[in-house]
Structure formats: structure tokens, C-alpha cells
Amino acid sequence: MDTATSRERRLEYERRQRRRSTIIATASTVVVMAAVLVFVPMTPGWDKVRRSFFDREILIDTFPSLLKAFWLDVRIFLIAVPCISIIALGLALARNSRHPALFPLRATVAIYTDVFRGVPVILTIYLIGFGVPGLGLSRTWGQPIIWGTVALILAYSAYVSEVFRAGIESVHESQRAAARSLGMSSAQTMRIVVLPQAIRRVVPPLMNDFISLQKDVALVSLIGPVEILRRAGIEKSAAANFTPYVGAAIIFLAVTIPLTRTADHLMARQRRRTTGTAVA
Amino acid sequence: MNGTRLRLSNVEKSFGDRQVLSGIDLSVAPGEVICLIGASGSGKSTLLRCCNLLEPIDSGAIVLDGIDISAPGLDPDPHRRRIGMVFQSFNLFPHLSVLDNVAVGPRHVLGRPRTDARQRAIELLTRLGLDGHCDAFPDQLSGGQQQRVAIARSLAVDPDVLLLDEITSALDPELVGEVLDVVRTLKTSGMTMVMATHEMGFAREIADIVCFLHEGRILESGPPDVIFEQPTHDRTRAFLRRVLDAGRM
């Protein structure tokens, strides 16, 4: 058979396959959506749920105050991220040091990461947020919001330092050998050769941690500060309606979905780079 | 030959229970080229890694221009700079451009100003015919080009001795030539080199001394004509026959 026809036939076959997948995907989406839209409203409690969770007017009324309260979450997040990055990198480097004199440092860091990774974030916030102001600090330094933020920073530094450590360990030993053979010191090798590669590799998992952080900022409300979750609670009591919680969820999603998509995109790109091609 | 550049005396090295190098004595005069031949696992690579202090030795001494650089407690970094190494799998820094791969040594190890370091890198890359690839990244180059960049990188810190660890083993056959040409040029310019290689024809052509390693010992060493034509040891003869049968000579 001549090659032109065989190529034609192959292309035709692939077109058919693609069309078929699109049709199946569309059909299954329509069926699921229809089921949700038809069957959920048929449940006996739906009317009550709709009124107490999806009240249009209450949503519009409370949305501005929720948005304003969310600004506090954003500020806590923006302060926490650079602090966490610096502390976590320091912890990872300390854990990676090989000098025998630094054993106490390595041990301390290991205990630190074990403790803070092992305790639920919310408990850390309670313990530090209520405990430290109890020391009788001045009015400015006794505010729970400061210590709630510190608690978040301490807990997340432990998580993020493990990400950095994995990144550092993923750089192949031969890279170190090449750097050392040029006469670089071990500090130079780390700074010039290992860290730049390690950080590039951990950006996507790092973003995932920071997305979790963005959500966990709301936990700070449990020790007092009026950020979005607490504001939503206040509005809920005032309106005797749960709609403000849905409003808060919408605001969180507006921030986290773009971040999650970006992280996924970065991760997919990295996979393509490191493994070459994907298997169909 | 005037004096000794690099001398190994009675070097021993083991990984756990396994003795990888035993009683290694080797003397390299300035400008001399030593080829290490022997089967895989005979200790060639370990010997080179020990010379460069990438592996600590168990006993013996590695003496560079009269200084025992393997002495316990000695800071090895300044001495390592004087012994360059080229690896089988290139080990270029993937996050740096070709130019920066070569300039990183002069900049950070020799402490030259940035412009000087780049100038030096451009000179070297031009000498090795790579001046068109300065801005490329290592993974955009062919294996032969990458290996030449790696050679330029190790030359950039002005080493006195160059160690070459099977530098053509990871290359497609048609790319071996361009890398070997660089080694020929280096020999002409008087570079002292110790190379582990499976390229017997090339070893024969370029070596002043060929050492045959077997199970961590130098069983036999001498000028290439002697080693390849009249080896005295049975194991050397057997090794050379196997290589010959495989069509590698």
C-alpha cells in the first residue's frame, strides 16, 4: 500500500478517536449535572437549606464586610510567607550540615521539625497564641494576632524545611563532586551549585504548602482576631443565616483555585522537562 | 623529565570489606600522560577520585609537588583546585549557561572579577571550538560538546594535573573523535594527565606510560609499546585479548 493512503487512514482514525472521547466526556458531564440539579431540589429539606445557606440578599449584604475582613488574612499570609521561607531554608541547611561540631544544631532541628509536624496546627496556635501573651507582655506584644501568626510561621517552617531538604537531597552527588573538584568549598558548592537547582525543583510542592497556609490563616480567628472566618461567624449570628459562610468560601476559592492551577501547571511542566515525553 | 608532579605511594582504599585499591605506587612527571587500563571494577575510577581527594584514602600518601595533600587535617580545597577532573557523565551544572559553567571556577575559586572570569571562559571555549554555544544550556548540546565544555570548565582554574575518568564512555561513537582531539591538543601544550580509558588505540597513541589495573593493584606498567606488544603478565595478556576480540583496538 502506498504510504500516502496509510497516513491518511491513520489521521482519520485519530480524528475519530478524538471525536469519540469528546462526545463521551460531554455526555457524562450532562448526565451528572442533570442528576444534581434535578435530584437535590427533590430532597425534603432542600427548601430550608436553600434559604439558610444560599440567600442572595444576605450574601450581597455581608460580602463587603467579609472582603474587608479577608484583608487581614492576606496581610498575615504576606508576612508569614517570607518568614517561613527564610526560617525553613535555614533549618534545611542546618539539618544538611555535616560538621561534627554542629551535631547539637542538627539534633535540635530534627526535634523541632518532628514536634511541629506532629502537632496539629490548630493546637500550636492555641498553645502559643494563648500561652505567650500570658507571660504578661506589653500591650502591643501581648496581642493574640501576633502570636497566632508566629504559631503559623513555626508550624509551617517545619513543613517547608522538609520540602527544602528533599530538594537539596535530590541534587545528584556528582554535581557536588564536580564543584568540589574545581576547588569550591562546601559552602560555595551549596550556594552556587546545589541550592539553585534544589529550589527550582521544589517550587511546585512549595506552592502547595503555601496554598494550605492561605487556608490555615483562618485558624488564627480561633484565638480572637476578627479575620474572615470570625467575621462570617458574626454575620451569621446577626442574620441568623449560614449564607456568610458560603460567602467566605467563595472568597477563599477565588484565591486558592488560581494558585492551585498555577502549581499544577508548574508541576506538569517540570515533569515534561525531567522525563521528556508523556506516555499516551 | 624533571622531578615528579604527582606521586602516589602505597595508597590503600576499601569500601567496607571490599579492598578497592591496594599498594598503589604511581609517579607522574610534569607533562607526562599516564593511561590506566583494566576491566570495569578494577579500581581505575576510584584511583582517580582518590587523587582528587573526592574519596579519602585509608593509608599511603598523595603527594603533589612535594606536598602530601592527603595528610589528615589538611584543608584539601586549595589543592583540589590544582587537580582538575573530567567525569564520564560530564556533570555540567544544568542551571548555568555554557559560559557560566566555565566562568564559575575563575570567578568563585580564583576570585577573579566577573569580567575577567567571563573573558577567560570565552578564550577557553573559543580554543575548544565552542564559542558559538556560550549562551546555550548544557542540555541543548550534544554529548561531545558537553564533554568539551566540561574540559574547558576544569581548565579554567589552571590545574597542574588533569584527571580524565573514561571521558568518552558515555558518548556516541561518532562523537568520540572530537573529545579525543582536545586531549591530543592538551598533550601538545604540555598538560600533565592521568586518564582511565577503554579506548586502547588512543591509549597506545597518547600515553607515555600505560598502567594495567587488576583488582585494585597495578599489575604492570610501562611504555605503551611494551604493554601492548610484550605484556609480561598473564592477566594483562588475557585482558588485551578480550579487548582485541571485542574489536576495540
Side-chain angles (χ1 to χ4, degrees), chain B residues 39-90:
Chain B
S40 300
S42 58
K44 306 188 296 289
S45 282
T46 310
L47 178 53
L48 293 179
R49 290 174 66 86
C50 285
C51 288
N52 204 6
L53 309 175
L54 288 174
E55 303 283 356
I57 57 174
D58 298 339
S59 67
I62 295 163
V63 181
L64 179 66
D65 284 332
I67 303 166
D68 180 1
I69 58 173
S70 63
L74 190 86
D75 175 16
D77 292 339
H79 303 290
R80 261 209 199 100
R81 195 279 293 162
R82 299 182 50 205
I83 306 178
M85 180 138 182
V86 184
F87 301 85
Q88 179 175 350
S89 45
F90 330 135

Short mmCIF file of all heavy atoms in Angstrom, two decimals, chain B residues 39-90:
data_model
loop_
_atom_site.label_atom_id
_atom_site.label_comp_id
_atom_site.label_asym_id
_atom_site.label_seq_id
_atom_site.Cartn_x
_atom_site.Cartn_y
_atom_site.Cartn_z
N ALA B 39 39.80 -3.88 33.43
CA ALA B 39 38.38 -4.16 33.33
C ALA B 39 37.58 -3.21 34.23
O ALA B 39 38.15 -2.57 35.10
CB ALA B 39 38.11 -5.60 33.76
N SER B 40 36.27 -3.14 33.98
CA SER B 40 35.41 -2.36 34.87
C SER B 40 35.51 -2.94 36.28
O SER B 40 35.53 -4.14 36.45
CB SER B 40 33.95 -2.44 34.41
OG SER B 40 33.86 -1.93 33.11
N GLY B 41 35.58 -2.06 37.27
CA GLY B 41 35.68 -2.53 38.64
C GLY B 41 37.09 -2.83 39.08
O GLY B 41 37.33 -3.31 40.18
N SER B 42 38.07 -2.53 38.21
CA SER B 42 39.46 -2.83 38.59
C SER B 42 40.03 -1.72 39.47
O SER B 42 41.13 -1.87 40.00
CB SER B 42 40.32 -3.00 37.34
OG SER B 42 40.26 -1.85 36.53
N GLY B 43 39.31 -0.62 39.63
CA GLY B 43 39.77 0.44 40.53
C GLY B 43 40.24 1.70 39.84
O GLY B 43 40.72 2.62 40.52
N LYS B 44 40.10 1.78 38.51
CA LYS B 44 40.58 2.96 37.78
C LYS B 44 39.92 4.25 38.27
O LYS B 44 40.59 5.22 38.60
CB LYS B 44 40.30 2.83 36.27
CG LYS B 44 40.85 1.57 35.63
CD LYS B 44 40.70 1.61 34.12
CE LYS B 44 39.26 1.63 33.63
NZ LYS B 44 38.52 0.36 33.81
N SER B 45 38.57 4.22 38.32
CA SER B 45 37.85 5.42 38.72
C SER B 45 38.14 5.81 40.15
O SER B 45 38.34 6.98 40.47
CB SER B 45 36.34 5.21 38.56
OG SER B 45 35.99 5.34 37.22
N THR B 46 38.15 4.81 41.03
CA THR B 46 38.44 5.09 42.44
C THR B 46 39.82 5.71 42.59
O THR B 46 40.01 6.65 43.36
CB THR B 46 38.35 3.79 43.27
OG1 THR B 46 37.13 3.15 42.96
CG2 THR B 46 38.41 4.09 44.75
N LEU B 47 40.77 5.19 41.82
CA LEU B 47 42.13 5.74 41.88
C LEU B 47 42.11 7.24 41.54
O LEU B 47 42.70 8.06 42.25
CB LEU B 47 43.03 4.97 40.91
CG LEU B 47 44.48 5.42 40.78
CD1 LEU B 47 45.14 5.47 42.14
CD2 LEU B 47 45.25 4.50 39.86
N LEU B 48 41.38 7.58 40.47
CA LEU B 48 41.31 8.99 40.09
C LEU B 48 40.59 9.83 41.15
O LEU B 48 41.02 10.93 41.48
CB LEU B 48 40.60 9.14 38.73
CG LEU B 48 41.34 8.55 37.53
CD1 LEU B 48 40.52 8.75 36.26
CD2 LEU B 48 42.71 9.20 37.36
N ARG B 49 39.48 9.27 41.67
CA ARG B 49 38.74 10.03 42.69
C ARG B 49 39.58 10.24 43.94
O ARG B 49 39.45 11.26 44.62
CB ARG B 49 37.42 9.32 43.02
CG ARG B 49 36.41 9.36 41.87
CD ARG B 49 35.18 8.53 42.17
NE ARG B 49 34.40 9.07 43.28
CZ ARG B 49 33.47 10.01 43.13
NH1 ARG B 49 33.20 10.49 41.94
NH2 ARG B 49 32.80 10.46 44.17
N CYS B 50 40.43 9.28 44.25
CA CYS B 50 41.33 9.44 45.41
C CYS B 50 42.37 10.53 45.15
O CYS B 50 42.65 11.33 46.03
CB CYS B 50 42.03 8.13 45.74
SG CYS B 50 40.97 6.92 46.53
N CYS B 51 42.91 10.57 43.92
CA CYS B 51 43.89 11.60 43.58
C CYS B 51 43.31 12.99 43.81
O CYS B 51 44.01 13.91 44.20
CB CYS B 51 44.30 11.51 42.11
SG CYS B 51 45.33 10.12 41.72
N ASN B 52 42.01 13.12 43.52
CA ASN B 52 41.37 14.42 43.63
C ASN B 52 40.76 14.62 45.01
O ASN B 52 40.02 15.57 45.24
CB ASN B 52 40.27 14.52 42.57
CG ASN B 52 39.95 15.94 42.23
OD1 ASN B 52 40.62 16.85 42.70
ND2 ASN B 52 38.92 16.14 41.44
N LEU B 53 41.04 13.69 45.92
CA LEU B 53 40.57 13.76 47.31
C LEU B 53 39.04 13.74 47.40
O LEU B 53 38.47 14.18 48.39
CB LEU B 53 41.11 15.01 48.02
CG LEU B 53 42.62 15.22 47.91
CD1 LEU B 53 43.00 16.54 48.55
CD2 LEU B 53 43.38 14.07 48.56
N LEU B 54 38.37 13.26 46.34
CA LEU B 54 36.93 13.11 46.44
C LEU B 54 36.60 11.90 47.31
O LEU B 54 35.54 11.81 47.90
CB LEU B 54 36.30 12.92 45.05
CG LEU B 54 36.28 14.17 44.17
CD1 LEU B 54 35.77 13.85 42.77
CD2 LEU B 54 35.44 15.27 44.79
N GLU B 55 37.54 10.94 47.34
CA GLU B 55 37.43 9.82 48.27
C GLU B 55 38.63 9.88 49.20
O GLU B 55 39.76 10.00 48.73
CB GLU B 55 37.50 8.47 47.53
CG GLU B 55 36.46 8.26 46.46
CD GLU B 55 35.10 7.91 47.04
OE1 GLU B 55 34.99 7.77 48.27
OE2 GLU B 55 34.16 7.82 46.24
N PRO B 56 38.41 9.82 50.51
CA PRO B 56 39.55 9.80 51.41
C PRO B 56 40.26 8.43 51.32
O PRO B 56 39.60 7.41 51.15
CB PRO B 56 38.91 9.99 52.79
CG PRO B 56 37.50 9.57 52.63
CD PRO B 56 37.12 9.78 51.20
N ILE B 57 41.59 8.44 51.38
CA ILE B 57 42.29 7.16 51.30
C ILE B 57 42.49 6.60 52.70
O ILE B 57 42.43 7.33 53.69
CB ILE B 57 43.65 7.30 50.58
CG1 ILE B 57 44.54 8.35 51.28
CG2 ILE B 57 43.44 7.67 49.13
CD1 ILE B 57 45.93 8.42 50.70
N ASP B 58 42.68 5.27 52.78
CA ASP B 58 42.83 4.63 54.10
C ASP B 58 44.26 4.76 54.60
O ASP B 58 44.50 4.99 55.79
CB ASP B 58 42.45 3.15 54.01
CG ASP B 58 40.98 2.98 53.63
OD1 ASP B 58 40.21 3.95 53.82
OD2 ASP B 58 40.61 1.90 53.14
N SER B 59 45.22 4.59 53.69
CA SER B 59 46.62 4.80 54.10
C SER B 59 47.44 5.06 52.85
O SER B 59 46.95 4.93 51.73
CB SER B 59 47.16 3.58 54.84
OG SER B 59 47.24 2.48 53.96
N GLY B 60 48.70 5.48 53.06
CA GLY B 60 49.54 5.88 51.94
C GLY B 60 49.56 7.39 51.84
O GLY B 60 49.12 8.08 52.76
N ALA B 61 50.05 7.89 50.71
CA ALA B 61 50.15 9.33 50.55
C ALA B 61 49.93 9.73 49.11
O ALA B 61 50.26 8.99 48.18
CB ALA B 61 51.52 9.82 51.03
N ILE B 62 49.32 10.90 48.92
CA ILE B 62 49.19 11.50 47.59
C ILE B 62 49.96 12.81 47.64
O ILE B 62 49.62 13.71 48.41
CB ILE B 62 47.71 11.74 47.24
CG1 ILE B 62 47.00 10.39 47.14
CG2 ILE B 62 47.59 12.50 45.93
CD1 ILE B 62 45.51 10.47 47.20
N VAL B 63 51.05 12.87 46.89
CA VAL B 63 51.97 13.99 47.01
C VAL B 63 51.93 14.82 45.73
O VAL B 63 52.19 14.31 44.64
CB VAL B 63 53.40 13.49 47.27
CG1 VAL B 63 54.36 14.66 47.44
CG2 VAL B 63 53.43 12.60 48.51
N LEU B 64 51.57 16.09 45.88
CA LEU B 64 51.51 16.99 44.73
C LEU B 64 52.63 18.02 44.88
O LEU B 64 52.65 18.77 45.85
CB LEU B 64 50.14 17.69 44.67
CG LEU B 64 49.93 18.68 43.54
CD1 LEU B 64 49.92 17.99 42.19
CD2 LEU B 64 48.62 19.45 43.74
N ASP B 65 53.57 18.03 43.96
CA ASP B 65 54.72 18.94 44.02
C ASP B 65 55.35 18.99 45.41
O ASP B 65 55.58 20.06 45.98
CB ASP B 65 54.29 20.36 43.60
CG ASP B 65 54.12 20.44 42.08
OD1 ASP B 65 54.79 19.67 41.36
OD2 ASP B 65 53.31 21.26 41.64
N GLY B 66 55.58 17.79 45.97
CA GLY B 66 56.28 17.71 47.24
C GLY B 66 55.42 17.88 48.48
O GLY B 66 55.91 17.73 49.59
N ILE B 67 54.12 18.18 48.31
CA ILE B 67 53.25 18.35 49.48
C ILE B 67 52.30 17.16 49.58
O ILE B 67 51.64 16.82 48.59
CB ILE B 67 52.43 19.65 49.38
CG1 ILE B 67 53.35 20.85 49.22
CG2 ILE B 67 51.53 19.81 50.60
CD1 ILE B 67 52.63 22.11 48.80
N ASP B 68 52.24 16.56 50.75
CA ASP B 68 51.30 15.44 50.95
C ASP B 68 49.90 16.01 51.15
O ASP B 68 49.54 16.46 52.24
CB ASP B 68 51.72 14.62 52.18
CG ASP B 68 50.75 13.46 52.41
OD1 ASP B 68 49.80 13.30 51.62
OD2 ASP B 68 50.97 12.72 53.40
N ILE B 69 49.10 16.01 50.07
CA ILE B 69 47.78 16.64 50.14
C ILE B 69 46.76 15.73 50.79
O ILE B 69 45.63 16.15 51.05
CB ILE B 69 47.28 17.07 48.74
CG1 ILE B 69 47.22 15.88 47.79
CG2 ILE B 69 48.16 18.16 48.16
CD1 ILE B 69 46.56 16.20 46.47
N SER B 70 47.13 14.48 51.04
CA SER B 70 46.18 13.57 51.68
C SER B 70 46.38 13.53 53.19
O SER B 70 45.71 12.79 53.88
CB SER B 70 46.33 12.16 51.10
OG SER B 70 47.63 11.67 51.40
N ALA B 71 47.34 14.35 53.68
CA ALA B 71 47.63 14.34 55.11
C ALA B 71 46.38 14.68 55.91
O ALA B 71 45.65 15.59 55.55
CB ALA B 71 48.74 15.33 55.43
N PRO B 72 46.12 13.92 56.99
CA PRO B 72 44.94 14.20 57.80
C PRO B 72 45.01 15.63 58.37
O PRO B 72 46.08 16.09 58.76
CB PRO B 72 45.02 13.18 58.94
CG PRO B 72 46.01 12.17 58.52
CD PRO B 72 46.93 12.84 57.55
N GLY B 73 43.87 16.31 58.37
CA GLY B 73 43.82 17.64 58.96
C GLY B 73 44.17 18.75 58.00
O GLY B 73 44.01 19.92 58.31
N LEU B 74 44.63 18.38 56.78
CA LEU B 74 44.98 19.41 55.81
C LEU B 74 43.70 19.85 55.08
O LEU B 74 42.88 19.02 54.73
CB LEU B 74 45.96 18.81 54.81
CG LEU B 74 46.63 19.77 53.84
CD1 LEU B 74 47.87 20.35 54.50
CD2 LEU B 74 46.99 19.04 52.56
N ASP B 75 43.54 21.17 54.89
CA ASP B 75 42.37 21.65 54.13
C ASP B 75 42.59 21.31 52.65
O ASP B 75 43.50 21.85 52.01
CB ASP B 75 42.22 23.15 54.32
CG ASP B 75 41.09 23.71 53.46
OD1 ASP B 75 40.27 22.90 52.96
OD2 ASP B 75 41.04 24.94 53.26
N PRO B 76 41.77 20.42 52.10
CA PRO B 76 42.05 19.96 50.74
C PRO B 76 41.65 20.93 49.64
O PRO B 76 42.11 20.82 48.51
CB PRO B 76 41.22 18.67 50.63
CG PRO B 76 40.12 18.84 51.60
CD PRO B 76 40.61 19.74 52.69
N ASP B 77 40.78 21.92 49.94
CA ASP B 77 40.21 22.74 48.86
C ASP B 77 41.24 23.44 47.97
O ASP B 77 41.15 23.35 46.75
CB ASP B 77 39.20 23.74 49.42
CG ASP B 77 37.96 23.05 49.96
OD1 ASP B 77 37.72 21.90 49.54
OD2 ASP B 77 37.26 23.64 50.79
N PRO B 78 42.24 24.14 48.54
CA PRO B 78 43.19 24.83 47.65
C PRO B 78 43.97 23.86 46.77
O PRO B 78 44.36 24.20 45.65
CB PRO B 78 44.12 25.57 48.61
CG PRO B 78 43.70 25.25 49.98
CD PRO B 78 42.49 24.40 49.94
N HIS B 79 44.21 22.63 47.26
CA HIS B 79 44.97 21.65 46.48
C HIS B 79 44.11 21.01 45.41
O HIS B 79 44.57 20.71 44.32
CB HIS B 79 45.55 20.58 47.40
CG HIS B 79 46.41 21.16 48.47
ND1 HIS B 79 47.63 21.72 48.20
CD2 HIS B 79 46.19 21.32 49.79
CE1 HIS B 79 48.15 22.18 49.33
NE2 HIS B 79 47.29 21.95 50.30
N ARG B 80 42.83 20.80 45.74
CA ARG B 80 41.91 20.22 44.77
C ARG B 80 41.84 21.07 43.52
O ARG B 80 41.73 20.57 42.42
CB ARG B 80 40.51 20.21 45.37
CG ARG B 80 40.13 18.90 45.92
CD ARG B 80 38.64 18.78 45.82
NE ARG B 80 38.23 17.75 46.74
CZ ARG B 80 37.72 18.01 47.92
NH1 ARG B 80 37.50 19.24 48.30
NH2 ARG B 80 37.42 17.03 48.72
N ARG B 81 41.88 22.38 43.71
CA ARG B 81 41.83 23.32 42.59
C ARG B 81 42.95 23.00 41.60
O ARG B 81 42.78 23.14 40.39
CB ARG B 81 41.99 24.74 43.17
CG ARG B 81 41.62 25.87 42.26
CD ARG B 81 42.71 26.23 41.29
NE ARG B 81 43.90 26.79 41.93
CZ ARG B 81 45.08 26.86 41.34
NH1 ARG B 81 45.26 26.40 40.13
NH2 ARG B 81 46.11 27.37 41.99
N ARG B 82 44.10 22.54 42.11
CA ARG B 82 45.26 22.32 41.23
C ARG B 82 45.17 21.00 40.48
O ARG B 82 45.98 20.70 39.63
CB ARG B 82 46.54 22.38 42.06
CG ARG B 82 46.71 23.74 42.73
CD ARG B 82 47.99 23.80 43.50
NE ARG B 82 49.11 23.36 42.68
CZ ARG B 82 50.23 22.85 43.18
NH1 ARG B 82 50.39 22.72 44.48
NH2 ARG B 82 51.19 22.49 42.36
N ILE B 83 44.18 20.17 40.87
CA ILE B 83 43.99 18.89 40.18
C ILE B 83 42.61 18.90 39.55
O ILE B 83 41.60 18.80 40.23
CB ILE B 83 44.10 17.71 41.17
CG1 ILE B 83 45.42 17.78 41.92
CG2 ILE B 83 43.97 16.40 40.43
CD1 ILE B 83 45.60 16.68 42.94
N GLY B 84 42.55 19.07 38.24
CA GLY B 84 41.25 19.13 37.56
C GLY B 84 40.72 17.73 37.31
O GLY B 84 41.47 16.76 37.28
N MET B 85 39.40 17.64 37.16
CA MET B 85 38.84 16.32 36.88
C MET B 85 37.72 16.44 35.86
O MET B 85 36.87 17.33 35.94
CB MET B 85 38.32 15.70 38.18
CG MET B 85 37.71 14.34 37.99
SD MET B 85 38.22 13.23 39.32
CE MET B 85 37.43 11.72 38.84
N VAL B 86 37.73 15.51 34.90
CA VAL B 86 36.66 15.43 33.91
C VAL B 86 36.00 14.08 34.09
O VAL B 86 36.67 13.06 34.19
CB VAL B 86 37.21 15.59 32.48
CG1 VAL B 86 36.07 15.61 31.47
CG2 VAL B 86 38.03 16.87 32.36
N PHE B 87 34.64 14.10 34.14
CA PHE B 87 33.91 12.90 34.52
C PHE B 87 33.29 12.21 33.30
O PHE B 87 33.03 12.84 32.28
CB PHE B 87 32.78 13.27 35.49
CG PHE B 87 33.27 13.92 36.75
CD1 PHE B 87 33.50 15.30 36.80
CD2 PHE B 87 33.50 13.18 37.89
CE1 PHE B 87 33.95 15.91 37.96
CE2 PHE B 87 33.96 13.78 39.06
CZ PHE B 87 34.18 15.14 39.10
N GLN B 88 33.01 10.93 33.48
CA GLN B 88 32.40 10.14 32.41
C GLN B 88 31.07 10.75 31.95
O GLN B 88 30.80 10.83 30.76
CB GLN B 88 32.16 8.72 32.93
CG GLN B 88 31.52 7.81 31.93
CD GLN B 88 31.42 6.39 32.47
OE1 GLN B 88 31.99 6.06 33.50
NE2 GLN B 88 30.69 5.56 31.76
N SER B 89 30.25 11.19 32.92
CA SER B 89 28.93 11.72 32.53
C SER B 89 28.89 13.25 32.58
O SER B 89 27.87 13.83 32.89
CB SER B 89 27.85 11.12 33.41
OG SER B 89 28.27 11.14 34.75
N PHE B 90 30.00 13.88 32.30
CA PHE B 90 30.17 15.33 32.14
C PHE B 90 29.95 16.13 33.43
O PHE B 90 30.74 16.99 33.76
CB PHE B 90 29.28 15.93 31.04
CG PHE B 90 28.95 15.00 29.90
CD1 PHE B 90 27.67 14.90 29.40
CD2 PHE B 90 29.94 14.21 29.33
CE1 PHE B 90 27.37 14.04 28.36
CE2 PHE B 90 29.67 13.35 28.29
CZ PHE B 90 28.38 13.27 27.80
#
